Amino acid sequence: MQGSSALDKYDLTKAHKALKMLLIDRSNEFRTLAHGIGYPTNTKDWELIVLNFSLDFVECFNIWVDESPPDHNQIHKCMTQMRQLARGKSNMTEVTHLENTAYLLAEDFKSIYKRME
């Protein structure tokens, strides 16, 4: 499953439309999260990278609260994302803010995407 993307589960045309709609209201949150994970906002399609990170983070959250044991690759991916979120932060409040931002962006995207069906 190496190289897979959380966006692979979505129709790319509808996903791009949903992302554009989400960016109308949430562009500041996208920039905040990109800055928090150390991803430059001057690259092409940086919003897709941030959205994919957010969708992956929600999968990690679901793994943490699920009672069935995840596989090793899922655990490694989640821990890498947590390390990326925490890098350079001075306290847990900053990390929690980024976690909440990632979670809300992913959930808002899913909601918009679902309404488009």
Side-chain angles (χ1 to χ4, degrees):
M1 185 164 259
Q2 183 179 2
S4 67
S5 167
L7 285 170
D8 291 343
K9 298 175 185 174
Y10 298 91
D11 175 75
L12 284 182
T13 305
K14 284 197 278 184
H16 280 284
K17 287 181 184 177
L19 176 59
K20 284 183 182 180
M21 293 174 69
L22 183 60
L23 284 170
I24 292 170
D25 292 330
R26 300 289 186 153
S27 62
N28 289 337
E29 285 89 344
F30 270 85
R31 288 185 187 284
T32 299
L33 186 56
H35 183 272
I37 62 175
Y39 197 81
T41 58
N42 60 353
T43 59
K44 184 179 184 232
D45 294 331
W46 66 270
E47 296 96 343
L48 282 173
I49 302 296
V50 172
L51 177 61
N52 195 46
F53 181 92
S54 299
L55 292 169
D56 281 339
F57 184 77
V58 169
E59 285 181 21
C60 286
F61 181 77
N62 292 334
I63 289 168
W64 293 329
V65 298
D66 192 14
E67 293 179 11
S68 60
D71 70 14
H72 175 74
N73 291 335
Q74 289 174 318
I75 293 170
H76 183 71
K77 185 176 184 178
C78 292
M79 294 309 294
T80 300
Q81 283 190 298
M82 286 301 299
R83 198 170 51 234
Q84 191 173 2
L85 280 171
R87 184 179 301 132
K89 308 309 176 292
S90 61
N91 57 52
M92 280 304 295
T93 304
E94 293 178 56
V95 176
T96 303
H97 174 70
L98 291 175
E99 290 174 344
N100 289 337
T101 301
Y103 182 82
L104 292 173
L105 287 176
E107 292 302 311
D108 287 350
F109 170 79
K110 290 180 201 176
S111 176
I112 292 169
Y113 184 88
K114 189 174 183 178
R115 282 186 274 154
M116 295 176 74
E117 293 179 342

